[in-house]
Amino acid sequence: MEEKPTPTRKRLNYENKLILAPMVRIGTLPMRLLALDYGADIVYTEELVDRKLLRSIRRENDVLGTIDYIDNTDGTVAFRTCPRERDNVVLQIGTSDPARAAQVARMVEKDVAGIDVNMGCPKNFSIVGGMGAALLSKPQQASSILRELIETVSIPVTCKIRVLPDLKETLQLCDTLTSTGIEAIAVHGRTINEGPQHSNRNHVLKQISERLPIPMIANGGSKDIQNHSDILRFKKETGSSSVMVARAAEWNCSVFRKEGPLPMDDVIKSYLKYAVDCDNPPSNTKYCVQNILRELQDSILGKKFLNAQTLEQICELWELGDYCRSKMKEFQDKGLLGRFQVSPDMLDEDTKDDCISQKRKIHEEEDVAMMRFAFLRSNYTRDEELPKTRLLKWTKDQHKKMPVYDTRRNEKLFCSIVTVDGRKYGSSFWEKNKKWAEQGAALVCLYFLEIIDEKSLTTSGNVLSR
């Protein structure tokens, strides 16, 4: 068998670095950029499962200045990065297969500074799939994944693990993984069965660091980290080469600042600007801000925030509404496709003809009154105000037959047509939620029946064309 040529290795210095840890739903582009602003040297993405990335298409986004990996089943962004973080971002993958891991690494090699393999996630999803913490008990498989990655790409390869209950087994595992040729190893000082309420095993991290010939990145100290000096203290206690910060950065990303952390509102405003600039999904933006607010979600501002649904509504609460609107208009003028403008024919070339055929059927059915807009759930505070509820009440009052919904699905997208009194109505938006697609169809019907006017319609959704 012909041997693979060994790639010329690039280096990412893991000595004396402050690192943003990989955190599910937190480690997206806006938070990574904010961490770099505040003093982080290296930023990890959230864990991205290999299969999801492998069904993605790489696209350069000229409007945002980003590089997007688009999931070709639903049009969502699986991974978004930009030149600003090119030399600082490490993509963490969830994988159980050397070949898939290598294939992902080849895809993203030119867009990231390094690849990390998640070997510590204790969540059931990861373990059942043979990923994350499942690899802790399979050192040979874990080593095979790392070796395949090292042989495939030129960028640095690392892994992140948790300590095992037994110190000897932990040290042996670290020796095995280190022998593969990885550049560094990140170690969380708790076992997979321990949570934040348990003490981080700093003494174990220190022994690992003293033993290994490569940099050891200490993780798990957020409980005692509130500022930059606390990070340095944790580094000294663990004898680590670098420190990886998770929850402390999630709560206040300015923890990396040598000058000290900034007030919460300042951090939120800076984060929201990046969220707008990166066209970050409102749901992810809301989740990140929620983790900054924490107990303040019960405040007056917090309750208003919890009721917000769109990015504009969230920004309005921190006096960034005008900024959000101006950027959204700028993006639209430049041709950016928003999250509500995704349709199946835009996704996968292999199924494009079938998708166009299905889309044509929706538009060309007889007597279908179509409009193009998005249903926004946050604009309805009471269930009786929902379009489907109002339409059902109208048909009962008029002694008409109940509305009948015909909802089409393509992969993860939905589009619906409602039939009322022999006529058909629908929104041409493809939604990621079947219920919302039906609400959209009902809202169009209410408009054409003159139960609501155009002003009501535009405040309830985003009308684009008729």
Side-chain angles (χ1 to χ4, degrees), residues 137-338:
S137 59
K138 300 177 181 178
Q140 296 310 312
Q141 182 180 1
S143 297
S144 295
I145 293 171
L146 295 175
R147 286 196 176 93
E148 186 70 19
L149 284 169
I150 292 168
E151 291 175 3
T152 301
V153 296
S154 62
I155 55 178
V157 175
T158 60
C159 66
K160 184 174 184 291
I161 69 170
R162 282 177 175 255
V163 297
L164 302 175
D166 182 80
L167 173 60
K168 184 178 179 180
E169 290 181 1
T170 301
L171 295 175
Q172 180 58 51
L173 175 64
C174 290
D175 287 343
T176 300
L177 297 176
T178 299
S179 69
T180 62
I182 55 176
E183 296 283 335
I185 184 169
V187 186
H188 187 121
R190 297 186 185 86
T191 68
I192 62 172
N193 295 317
E194 294 176 334
Q197 71 275 19
H198 297 96
S199 297
N200 204 56
R201 304 186 186 197
N202 293 352
H203 64 288
V204 174
L205 298 184
K206 189 172 180 64
Q207 291 185 63
I208 295 172
S209 181
E210 292 172 348
R211 181 185 182 96
L212 297 184
I214 64 172
M216 193 278 288
I217 305 166
N219 181 226
S222 283
K223 186 177 180 180
D224 300 313
I225 292 177
Q226 296 182 2
N227 52 49
H228 185 270
S229 60
D230 290 336
I231 298 176
L232 298 182
R233 175 188 48 74
F234 179 61
K235 181 178 183 295
K236 184 176 181 180
E237 285 182 8
T238 58
S240 60
S241 302
S242 296
V243 173
M244 178 177 280
V245 184
R247 287 177 300 123
E250 175 184 320
W251 299 331
N252 189 330
C253 196
S254 66
V255 70
F256 292 112
R257 293 180 78 247
K258 292 180 180 179
E259 304 83 356
L262 295 170
M264 179 193 70
D265 281 340
D266 291 354
V267 174
I268 291 176
K269 286 181 179 180
S270 296
Y271 170 78
L272 287 176
K273 282 189 175 181
Y274 273 131
V276 171
D277 294 345
C278 299
D279 192 34
N280 202 50
S283 58
N284 179 257
T285 301
K286 187 172 183 178
Y287 180 80
C288 291
V289 174
Q290 206 167 349
N291 281 277
I292 300 173
L293 285 174
R294 300 170 70 197
E295 66 274 3
L296 291 179
Q297 292 175 65
D298 290 330
S299 66
I300 294 175
L301 176 62
K303 290 178 180 177
K304 290 180 180 179
F305 163 75
L306 292 176
N307 287 328
Q309 183 176 337
T310 67
L311 193 54
E312 181 182 343
Q313 290 169 346
I314 296 171
C315 287
E316 200 74 63
L317 297 174
W318 277 274
E319 301 178 347
L320 289 170
D322 289 342
Y323 180 81
C324 182
R325 284 185 287 273
S326 65
K327 293 298 288 189
M328 289 170 66
K329 185 179 185 304
E330 175 189 330
F331 295 157
Q332 288 176 359
D333 291 345
K334 290 181 178 179
L336 179 69
L337 293 178

Side-chain angles (χ1 to χ4, degrees), residues 45 122 211 339 342 383 433:
T45 69
R211 181 185 182 96
R339 63 193 178 100
V342 175
D383 287 347
N433 182 302

